[in-house]
Amino acid sequence: LKWTPRYVYPLGVVTDVIKPECTVDAGMEILNNRFNVPSKYRGKVEEDVNKRYFVDWQVPTNERRERKDLTRTHVVFTVDPPEAMDLDDAFSIQENPNGTYDVGIHIADVSAFLPMGSDLDKEAHDRATSLYPQTGKPVHMIPKRLSEVVCSLLPYRDRLTLSLFVNFDSSGEVVGEAKLERCVVHSRAKLSYKQAEDIIGGFNDMSVPPNVQNSVRMLHKLAAARREKRLGPSHLYHRPNEDEDEQGGKRAHIMVEEMMILANTKVAQVLVQKFPEVTPLRCQQPPKKEKFENWKTSHAALSGCSVALSKELPNDEGTHDAERDDSSPPDDIPLFKFVWDEIRFAALHGDLDRIQQLVCTDENHPTLARALLQLRGIHDRAVFRCSAYQSPEQNQHYSLNEAAYTYFSSPIRRYIDVVVHRLVVALIEDKPSPYTSDEVGEICRHYNNMEVNAKAYERETLVLKLAYDWM
């Protein structure tokens, strides 16, 4: 309550007493209190949502008239973890007679259900992000009726989206300008990452419509080509992820990730042109020059040994300093025995994709893993800033190699995406920005703080789960 100079300790009041128990539930209660995790929505927010939107909600006729109806013309599908219900994004792809492809990236239009300035909007703003603890249920930013039913792009349901359409040539190069539209879509399939991976690998899944399977394979081909153009040799590296290992599907994850990066990048580009003073941008500056040069000096010998570090340590033959012993390429790169065993097993079975994955993953090689970890340590943290307060050079996202980047793809679980959606709607309808620069700046600062809090909370819940599993 207060802490005056006269007192050694602050003045407070007991709000709750947690019993000293060695259970996951007791641990979660402590963490929920420590990180101020809300247990319920304020006032009548959730009650009002449940009254207004029923479980069998359908798109109103007048809303359908004002949007582009893709329910019968586009083969739309989602790719998510099997247990996910808050489905933000979906995809479609159509091949044109001239050999180009029209890719649709369809994002749930959450802003249509959050009146600006309403109690629901204020609650979403304050929460800023959904929380996904390692044990227990998710803590949604918006009520479950919206996040898992009405807004979610569930299969066999008509849903509202903001859709980005991009035309590709067969090499994965974007042709012409991207287009944003308000749409109604109908998902034909909810795929797990494992299902999508099997389809990409040529397996025919009898539970998935053939036109969906063809769409997945075409989209993967374009996503892989675009990733190679964007990252160069680094496209062969994909950061290991425990969720991917559990769910299966490295190529499926890369396909979805690449389409999300494309959507967020294209939206950032058009918004910066239309609203240069009020666009929230995800920014990451290059490492500080002195720290980066020290890192390069320490690891110069690894030049040409890592695809993940090819941007920072290009393979420039003949440029090593002959007077420096530590700049000579190493005679060998240490490898974990279990990784070598996996490489041998993959070689015996002719699994070239698996061999490439094992060889090109720096975390499998202690020397390269150390260099990569130290590089990440000198990187600035990516944060949101209002475009009004920055020069174009400061707008870049260094790690993604993009000149401008924002969050557009996950409005069900991030409030900053809702703000971006409102700007997109204003752009489509040719209206002025619904926000001022100061308002966007405040939203960015609040989101940055809540994002750090969310990551710390989710990390602590993982520690709790692992500790309890080992008891």
Side-chain angles (χ1 to χ4, degrees):
L1 300 177
K2 64 179 179 179
W3 196 350
T4 63
R6 294 177 55 195
Y7 296 96
V8 176
Y9 300 108
L11 177 65
V13 60
V14 176
T15 59
D16 195 11
V17 177
I18 302 174
K19 296 179 181 179
E21 298 176 347
C22 292
T23 64
V24 171
D25 290 342
M28 284 301 299
E29 191 174 356
I30 292 171
L31 291 178
N32 290 341
N33 277 275
R34 175 183 165 190
F35 288 96
N36 296 315
V37 177
S39 59
K40 59 183 180 180
Y41 295 91
R42 293 192 297 255
K44 295 185 177 181
V45 166
E46 188 165 23
E47 181 183 340
D48 290 344
V49 166
N50 291 339
K51 285 180 179 179
R52 186 170 183 180
Y53 303 106
F54 298 107
V55 175
D56 58 351
W57 178 88
Q58 295 181 358
V59 176
T61 303
N62 62 332
E63 187 73 42
R64 192 184 294 272
R65 287 199 202 101
E66 296 175 359
R67 294 171 178 262
K68 186 173 183 178
D69 194 337
L70 309 179
T71 55
R72 292 178 176 83
T73 58
H74 287 61
V75 178
V76 176
F77 61 93
T78 60
V79 183
D80 289 278
E83 71 280 0
M85 291 299 292
D86 50 347
L87 312 181
D88 292 282
D89 51 86
F91 310 98
S92 65
I93 181 169
Q94 293 180 321
E95 187 173 6
N96 300 316
N98 63 357
T100 62
Y101 299 86
D102 290 326
V103 172
I105 303 170
H106 312 283
I107 309 299
D109 190 358
V110 177
S111 64
F113 301 92
L114 263 67
M116 193 168 171
S118 65
D119 290 342
L120 174 60
D121 184 46
K122 292 174 184 176
E123 179 80 11
H125 165 274
D126 291 347
R127 293 188 177 215
T129 181
S130 294
L131 302 172
Y132 297 91
Q134 292 294 318
T135 178
K137 297 180 180 179
V139 181
H140 294 293
M141 181 184 75
I142 56 179
K144 191 174 180 180
R145 181 66 55 81
L146 290 177
S147 60
E148 294 191 355
V149 181
V150 177
C151 295
S152 182
L153 305 183
L154 299 171
Y156 321 122
R157 306 277 187 91
D158 290 358
R159 288 294 182 258
L160 306 182
T161 65
L162 286 179
S163 299
L164 176 76
F165 296 95
V166 183
N167 185 253
F168 285 91
D169 64 21
S170 57
S171 69
E173 195 73 51
V174 174
V175 180
E177 297 295 326
K179 187 177 182 181
L180 285 157
E181 294 192 71
R182 303 176 77 189
C183 298
V184 182
V185 303
H186 182 94
S187 174
R188 310 292 177 91
K190 178 193 175 187
L191 304 179
S192 68
Y193 282 105
K194 179 68 168 59
Q195 281 180 298
E197 184 74 12
D198 288 343
I199 291 169
I200 292 168
F203 177 77
N204 289 318
D205 190 331
M206 300 300 292
S207 66
V208 180
N211 54 0
V212 172
Q213 297 192 51
N214 291 336
S215 295
V216 170
R217 294 185 184 110
M218 284 192 292
L219 189 64
H220 166 258
K221 181 180 177 182
L222 289 179
R226 173 175 160 75
R227 179 178 171 85
E228 183 173 359
K229 289 178 181 295
R230 183 172 65 86
L231 296 177
S234 297
H235 82 279
L236 295 171
Y237 168 79
H238 185 60
R239 189 171 183 172
N241 185 303
E242 281 190 15
D243 291 337
E244 291 179 24
D245 292 339
E246 293 175 2
Q247 298 162 10
K250 173 179 175 268
R251 288 175 295 185
H253 273 89
I254 288 176
M255 177 184 74
V256 173
E257 178 185 284
E258 201 60 35
M259 290 298 106
M260 294 300 96
I261 292 173
L262 172 66
N264 292 335
T265 302
K266 290 297 181 184
V267 169
Q269 291 171 356
V270 297
L271 288 184
V272 167
Q273 290 179 356
K274 177 68 175 179
F275 302 118
E277 300 296 317
V278 293
T279 300
L281 293 174
R282 184 78 167 171
C283 307
Q284 186 194 40
Q285 302 306 306
K288 299 292 186 294
K289 186 174 181 179
E290 183 178 354
K291 290 182 178 180
F292 185 56
E293 290 301 324
N294 289 338
W295 176 86
K296 284 182 68 175
T297 301
S298 300
H299 301 288
L302 298 178
S303 174
C305 298
S306 163
V307 293
L309 301 174
S310 59
K311 177 181 174 182
E312 290 80 9
L313 294 174
N315 187 16
D316 298 327
E317 296 184 6
T319 60
H320 293 296
D321 187 346
E323 296 180 1
R324 287 184 53 85
D325 294 335
D326 60 353
S327 67
S328 302
D331 294 330
D332 50 54
I333 297 290
L335 186 70
F336 290 116
K337 184 180 184 302
F338 76 89
V339 175
W340 175 243
D341 291 340
E342 285 196 48
I343 291 175
R344 292 177 62 193
F345 182 82
L348 286 173
H349 290 80
D351 191 346
L352 297 181
D353 287 336
R354 181 60 176 160
I355 294 173
Q356 176 183 291
Q357 179 185 346
L358 291 166
V359 171
C360 294
T361 299
D362 281 6
E363 283 80 358
N364 290 337
H365 316 288
T367 305
L368 300 179
R370 176 172 171 267
L372 188 59
L373 186 64
Q374 290 179 355
L375 177 63
R376 288 172 181 160
I378 64 174
H379 276 173
D380 283 356
R381 183 171 68 89
V383 296
F384 269 95
R385 295 193 179 99
C386 179
S387 57
Y389 308 130
Q390 303 204 126
S391 65
E393 294 75 22
Q394 294 174 311
N395 288 341
Q396 69 169 310
H397 194 297
Y398 176 78
S399 295
L400 294 177
N401 197 28
E402 297 290 359
Y405 193 75
T406 193
Y407 278 175
F408 167 75
S409 55
S410 297
I412 291 177
R413 61 185 179 88
R414 295 188 304 230
Y415 187 75
I416 202 81
D417 299 58
V418 176
V419 174
V420 170
H421 275 223
R422 287 173 176 154
L423 291 171
V424 168
V425 171
L427 180 147
I428 293 172
E429 298 179 347
D430 197 23
K431 293 181 178 179
S433 166
Y435 295 99
T436 65
S437 298
D438 289 343
E439 288 172 335
V440 172
E442 183 279 326
I443 291 170
C444 288
R445 287 189 292 272
H446 178 66
Y447 177 81
N448 290 335
N449 292 333
M450 295 303 289
E451 182 185 47
V452 170
N453 187 71
K455 288 182 178 179
Y457 170 72
E458 291 167 4
R459 185 169 58 249
E460 289 295 317
T461 64
L462 175 60
V463 171
L464 172 66
K465 181 179 182 298
L466 294 175
Y468 188 78
D469 288 346
W470 279 93
M471 285 179 63

